[in-house]
Amino acid sequence: MLNTEIKISASTLNVQECIDWVMSPQSGGIDVFIGTVRDATKDKQVVRLEFEAYESMAKKEMEKIAAQAFQQWPVQKILIHHRTGVLQIGEIPVVIAVSAAHRDAAFSACRYIIDTLKETVPIWKKEIFEDGEVWIAAHP
């Protein structure tokens, strides 16, 4: 069984718990991607973001992405956590953590996971601006 932890939650993501989960004595490198809500998009001031997910399908797609990463790189553990609900500026909507014996595999797998998640996982965000709002794919 692949050593993964996949979670979609309305609760605050705990970065240190994510890092602790992927650590192991066999891991010489851990790469962590932390997505945060920024205060502007394309010169428009962001007030907040609202995330929604087709949860069962999103989890299956995240599991598929993790399995693909395990096939392509010699990684040991993969964690993918994503928030749903209303997030304010500075909050964390996504954490991806990958451990491997060597850093190259951890870096490559982590980049692959976030890039593929952005393209394929059914999670959407509504960007609320000072002058309106728009729904878009979660991580363009």
Side-chain angles (χ1 to χ4, degrees), residues 71-83:
Q71 289 176 341
Q72 293 182 52
W73 295 280
V75 297
Q76 293 157 339
K77 291 183 176 183
I78 294 173
L79 175 141
I80 308 171
H81 286 188
H82 207 296
R83 281 273 310 267

Side-chain angles (χ1 to χ4, degrees), residues 96-129:
I96 296 171
V98 179
S99 61
H102 303 284
R103 68 181 177 274
D104 285 346
F107 276 118
S108 296
C110 193
R111 176 177 288 278
Y112 171 80
I113 292 165
I114 187 59
D115 289 348
T116 307
L117 183 146
K118 290 163 66 166
E119 294 174 7
T120 65
V121 176
I123 296 174
W124 304 273
K125 71 178 174 184
K126 185 194 301 187
E127 291 183 320
I128 292 49
F129 301 105

Side-chain angles (χ1 to χ4, degrees), residues 27-97:
S27 298
I30 295 172
D31 192 56
V32 181
F33 174 80
I34 303 165
T36 59
V37 177
R38 62 183 177 269
D39 65 356
T41 298
K42 298 178 183 170
D43 296 324
K44 293 180 79 171
Q45 288 303 119
V46 173
V47 175
R48 68 181 181 279
L49 299 181
E50 297 177 10
F51 287 89
E52 290 187 10
Y54 181 176
E55 195 166 327
S56 62
M57 186 180 284
K59 282 184 178 178
K60 285 180 186 169
E61 188 61 27
M62 290 173 171
E63 289 166 2
K64 180 175 144 186
I65 293 166
Q68 291 166 344
F70 274 110
Q71 289 176 341
Q72 293 182 52
W73 295 280
V75 297
Q76 293 157 339
K77 291 183 176 183
I78 294 173
L79 175 141
I80 308 171
H81 286 188
H82 207 296
R83 281 273 310 267
T84 55
V86 177
L87 280 80
Q88 304 301 321
I89 306 302
E91 289 193 284
I92 299 171
V94 62
V95 176
I96 296 171

